[in-house]
Amino acid sequence: MLTANHDQRSFQRMALNTKIILANAHTRVEGLCRNISATGALVEVTSGQCQLGEEWQLVMPSADNNVEPLKAIASVLRVDSGSTTDVVAFSLSAVR
């Protein structure tokens, strides 16, 4: 039996507070990655930057020059709008 507080995600999240870059054919957006898992990320960006269903190239720079940045294709699953920032949930694919 599942309790109301049971997390049903397939992968555990790792809490972060790190710079992330989103880019598509039209724009480049910098934000903060709040958490990440094997298949998703929660990112805070300036309000109005991301729309439901959009696809972005996601890049998380490495703190070590000897380690390649994390790169993935990110699809917007949810946007929680705020007055100055939005919290955006992404589904990740083609992670490298």
Side-chain angles (χ1 to χ4, degrees):
M1 176 184 226
L2 297 177
T3 64
N5 293 335
H6 182 72
D7 191 350
Q8 296 181 17
R9 289 179 173 78
S10 297
F11 298 96
Q12 291 293 326
R13 295 183 202 179
M14 181 171 58
L16 298 173
N17 190 23
T18 191
K19 176 181 168 180
I20 199 155
I21 300 163
L22 302 169
N24 63 24
H26 308 290
T27 192
R28 181 179 185 270
V29 176
E30 288 190 19
L32 288 176
C33 184
R34 296 299 186 188
N35 68 52
I36 194 164
S37 74
T39 60
L42 193 66
V43 176
E44 187 175 335
V45 296
T46 304
S47 291
Q49 299 295 312
C50 297
Q51 306 300 317
L52 189 64
E54 286 182 329
E55 190 170 276
W56 293 82
Q57 171 71 40
L58 177 146
V59 178
M60 185 182 302
S62 173
D64 182 340
N65 289 336
N66 295 320
V67 177
E68 292 291 320
L70 174 91
K71 296 180 181 179
I73 302 299
S75 300
V76 178
L77 294 178
R78 184 181 78 247
V79 178
D80 295 329
S81 299
S83 58
T84 59
T85 60
D86 294 342
V87 177
V88 183
F90 289 97
S91 172
L92 303 181
S93 62
V95 178
R96 48 189 166 90

